[in-house]
Amino acid sequence: MESAIQLMELQHETKQSPKWTRLLVWSTLGSTIGAAVPGGYCMGIINNPAVHMRSWCAATLLQNYGMQLTPAGLDTLWASIVSIYLIGGVLGSACAGWAANRFGRRGCFLLSGSLLLLAAMGFFSCRWLQSVELLLLCRLVVGLGAGLITTGLPMYHSEIAALPQRGTLGASCAVGFSVGIVLAQICSMEALLGGEQHWHLALGFYVVFMAICYAPYRCYAESPKWLYIVKQQREQALHMLVRLRGGNIGLQSEIQAMEQEAAGKCSSRSLGEVLKDPKMLLPLVLICAYQGGQQLTGCSSIFYYSVSIFRSSGLSPRTAELLSLCAGNVNLATSLLNPWLMAQFNRRTLMLLSSFFCALLMFAFGLLVEYSAMIPWLIYGTIASIFLYLIAFQLALGAMPSFIGTELFEVPSRSVANSLGNQTGWSCNFLVGFLFPTMHSLMGSWVFLLFSMFSALLFLLTKFYLPETRGREVSEVAELVSHGFRSKVL
């Protein structure tokens, strides 16, 4: 009789839609605007003022050290300035699993903010101090902060959300990065802060968003799952859960899910334990493939070098700058649909569509760029294919890799697995950012066909090995992928 009553209570809970409480909304918005937006801003800010920054670097090195850079040497220095942000991202991701467990998901958010604040002060000072070294150091530091953000923030959002809200909140980090990229493109326009005298102000302008959102930091929620399973502070976890859900009605299923994850398991697992566990093989392959593949499908080359790509297609500098801004806005507009898409449609379906059309459109873009010099009107096709590619990318490839780990791994393994996945993503981002100019000069537009191939591989991986995670408890998904490549995920 008692079990029947509990079953009826659980069925009643599943029919109730979870509340969007003030604490839940404020914690998500504040952490997204204060952390994800600055992370995306630092990724996109380097594009428009590149000409002025390169000139300043050459002049500063000549003045300080009498070093006359060749064009090839200046290209290498500039690639280093772009890519050292990504090296910082790799290092930040490597530390993020430990930081998220040691200081909590909210504490990891505070740590990343401290790094971003230090870097902003350096950006404001580097031109005044005539120091290229300080510019490089600050790019490394913002990369460290962004690495912490991309690992810790999706975990934080997914763990404060109820099960039906998980996809919506899980996409918030990716949306924040897209907003940051567009804001960077606007702030770094020649008419605003992207000119010869003000580019250093543009680099650190993200501190404005941080000031607004970090001030009420103590009012943000902590992850109930981290409190319950990692810290084993059961009372505090239940109290936080009640505040996040707006009452204690309908919490039985969430409490039982946390108890199930905590039962018979250690509070957290080390990297060695996760790597040695054969049950972790397939989910690790999935998260690393999606995080790395997200960069290897070509999106990074567009975000970093869109202005140069448009210029190389024969467009004027002004037109190239405006088209780069339009591309950023298309990317942002589509990314704003991500929370709704993740709530309404299955993950597998979206990822299959996204990877298929990214492969097709990147292939078309490579061909069109190759022949646009001979047939000038093909330039319109290249512009259309870039915009359509960004729409296809944001269907799933833009958002899902950032939170899919929280739906594949249970709490003890989650922070380490997400950290490993993000290290893979940042490493691939670095490879694309650093090697793309060289590969483009050697291979021409055929390099985009290589990006198309990676999208095709992700399509095949999704078709055969990604289980549907929407609306499922993590323990159920973990069981589906626990037999490696012999798992029957469908």
Side-chain angles (χ1 to χ4, degrees):
M1 181 67 181
E2 186 175 335
S3 60
I5 293 173
Q6 288 179 348
L7 179 61
M8 290 175 65
E9 288 176 353
L10 288 174
Q11 289 174 340
H12 177 66
E13 288 174 23
T14 57
K15 292 178 182 178
Q16 288 184 325
S17 58
K19 294 181 182 178
W20 290 89
T21 60
R22 186 176 301 177
L23 178 62
L24 178 64
V25 173
W26 177 241
S27 298
T28 305
L29 285 178
S31 56
T32 300
I33 297 171
V37 170
Y41 185 97
C42 293
M43 182 180 288
I45 194 62
I46 211 76
N47 199 346
N48 284 342
V51 174
H52 301 307
M53 292 179 68
R54 286 165 64 101
S55 300
W56 174 81
C57 288
T60 301
L61 291 176
L62 181 62
Q63 176 185 323
N64 291 350
Y65 306 106
M67 185 186 298
Q68 181 73 52
L69 289 179
T70 64
L74 185 57
D75 285 343
T76 302
L77 174 62
W78 182 246
S80 301
I81 291 172
V82 171
S83 302
I84 200 168
Y85 167 80
L86 307 171
I87 294 174
V90 174
L91 297 175
S93 296
C95 302
W98 169 81
N101 282 335
R102 175 68 179 82
F103 304 112
R105 312 322 192 206
R106 190 179 64 167
C108 190
F109 163 60
L110 179 63
L111 180 59
S112 66
S114 303
L115 292 170
L116 291 172
L117 179 60
L118 285 173
M121 294 168 63
F123 284 138
F124 291 143
S125 307
C126 66
R127 189 169 179 273
W128 173 60
L129 295 173
Q130 290 293 297
S131 175
V132 176
E133 296 87 347
L134 182 58
L135 174 61
L136 281 163
L137 178 61
C138 292
R139 287 285 294 171
L140 176 66
V141 172
V142 292
L144 285 170
L148 290 172
I149 291 165
T150 54
T151 302
L153 203 61
M155 272 196 294
Y156 175 60
H157 289 161
S158 295
E159 290 178 7
I160 64 174
L163 183 60
Q165 299 165 332
R166 198 172 61 193
T168 302
L169 267 64
S172 300
C173 183
V175 172
F177 264 75
S178 298
V179 172
I181 288 170
V182 172
L183 289 173
Q185 290 173 329
I186 294 171
C187 291
S188 61
M189 292 182 72
E190 187 81 22
L192 296 176
L193 296 176
E196 186 178 0
Q197 301 299 320
H198 302 109
W199 56 262
H200 60 294
L201 300 178
L203 293 182
F205 189 74
Y206 63 82
V207 78
V208 173
F209 313 116
M210 291 181 58
I212 296 170
C213 295
Y214 273 86
Y217 161 79
R218 293 187 64 84
C219 299
Y220 298 148
E222 181 53 274
S223 162
K225 285 195 173 184
W226 177 77
L227 290 171
Y228 196 96
I229 298 171
V230 178
K231 300 300 288 183
Q232 297 182 356
Q233 297 174 357
R234 306 295 167 87
E235 290 185 9
Q236 292 92 324
L238 295 178
H239 174 68
M240 185 60 67
L241 194 60
V242 169
R243 292 182 60 203
L244 282 167
R245 302 295 174 258
N248 56 8
I249 299 175
L251 299 184
Q252 189 64 33
S253 60
E254 285 195 67
I255 294 170
Q256 286 187 3
M258 289 194 293
E259 288 175 347
Q260 187 177 0
E261 287 193 56
K265 297 177 181 176
C266 57
S267 59
S268 61
R269 303 177 74 187
S270 67
L271 176 61
E273 290 172 331
V274 171
L275 291 176
K276 290 176 184 177
D277 188 349
K279 292 182 178 181
M280 296 290 104
L281 173 61
L282 182 55
L284 282 175
V285 168
L286 287 169
I287 191 173
C288 290
Y290 285 132
Q291 290 276 11
Q294 183 188 57
Q295 311 305 324
L296 296 175
T297 55
C299 68
S300 299
S301 64
I302 293 172
F303 293 145
Y304 294 135
Y305 300 106
S306 57
V307 173
S308 351
I309 291 170
F310 286 132
R311 283 183 180 179
S312 67
S313 300
L315 298 172
S316 68
R318 176 64 176 165
T319 305
E321 184 183 73
L322 289 174
L323 282 174
S324 178
L325 178 60
C326 289
N329 278 287
V330 167
N331 184 62
L332 171 60
T334 315
S335 73
L336 291 174
L337 293 174
N338 276 334
W340 178 78
L341 287 171
M342 295 302 158
Q344 297 297 321
F345 299 99
N346 288 343
R347 314 281 195 255
R348 273 180 55 85
T349 303
L350 290 173
M351 183 57 81
L352 286 169
L353 288 171
S354 182
S355 54
F356 174 80
F357 282 108
C358 280
L360 183 65
L361 290 163
M362 191 54 76
F363 183 83
F365 177 74
L367 291 179
L368 289 167
V369 169
E370 180 66 23
Y371 295 108
S372 60
M374 294 184 288
I375 310 173
W377 57 266
L378 286 180
I379 187 63
Y380 299 109
T382 65
I383 295 169
S385 59
I386 279 248
F387 288 176
L388 290 171
Y389 167 84
L390 290 172
I391 292 172
F393 178 79
Q394 286 296 347
L395 281 177
L397 273 171
M400 265 184 59
S402 65
F403 72 86
I404 193 66
T406 63
E407 300 187 339
L408 292 172
F409 294 91
E410 295 178 289
V411 170
S413 308
R414 184 175 297 160
S415 58
V416 170
N418 276 347
S419 175
L420 191 61
N422 273 283
Q423 288 176 64
T424 306
W426 282 101
S427 299
C428 292
N429 201 340
F430 168 75
L431 289 175
V432 174
F434 190 77
L435 295 178
F436 177 77
T438 304
M439 293 175 66
H440 193 232
S441 62
L442 292 175
M443 298 175 61
S445 58
W446 299 114
V447 69
F448 297 108
L449 304 189
L450 191 61
F451 295 146
S452 174
M453 182 187 72
F454 284 112
S455 296
L457 291 174
L458 284 181
F459 173 83
L460 294 174
L461 182 69
T462 303
K463 181 173 177 59
F464 294 110
Y465 293 111
L466 179 69
E468 182 51 58
T469 60
R470 175 173 168 251
R472 280 178 166 169
E473 287 292 350
V474 180
S475 55
E476 181 185 353
V477 176
E479 179 61 29
L480 282 175
V481 294
S482 62
H483 301 291
F485 289 100
R486 293 181 291 105
S487 301
K488 300 184 183 300
V489 300
L490 301 181

